[in-house]
Amino acid sequence: GGDLEILLKRHQNVVLVETYLIKSQTGEDGLDDYYVLMLMNGVPIKKFITVGIQNKDYTEVTSGLNEGDEIVYLAS
């Protein structure tokens, strides 16, 4: 046996996004920078975001997006 610690947190002011819409790239600091693609004048641009809790289906976006922002998916 072992100990099991369950942490419950209340998350406010986050936007829930389907995980497959979030992409990442390695930043200058060697860490992952997360972004989504948004259309600006018909051209997809990277919108960098900060993520919170994620699973295979959904990811919390804690900054960088607002409710109602439209993001797009472009297959790589």
Side-chain angles (χ1 to χ4, degrees):
D3 293 335
L4 174 65
E5 183 177 348
I6 298 175
L7 299 175
L8 300 177
K9 292 184 178 181
R10 184 179 183 132
H11 296 258
Q12 296 180 345
N13 302 318
V14 298
V15 177
L16 203 57
V17 174
E18 291 182 83
T19 298
Y20 78 92
L21 293 169
I22 298 176
K23 299 183 180 286
S24 66
Q25 66 184 37
T26 303
E28 293 178 10
D29 57 5
L31 301 175
D32 286 338
D33 291 331
Y34 294 94
Y35 66 93
V36 293
L37 295 174
M38 300 180 77
L39 290 181
M40 182 174 285
N41 298 322
V43 177
I45 61 161
K46 290 180 183 179
K47 175 75 173 182
F48 287 93
I49 58 173
T50 303
V51 299
I53 296 173
Q54 12 181 195
N55 65 29
K56 66 180 179 114
D57 297 317
Y58 294 98
T59 298
E60 288 181 344
V61 176
T62 57
S63 69
L65 283 181
N66 295 307
E67 190 171 332
D69 283 350
E70 292 188 33
I71 56 180
V72 297
Y73 175 76
L74 298 176
S76 305

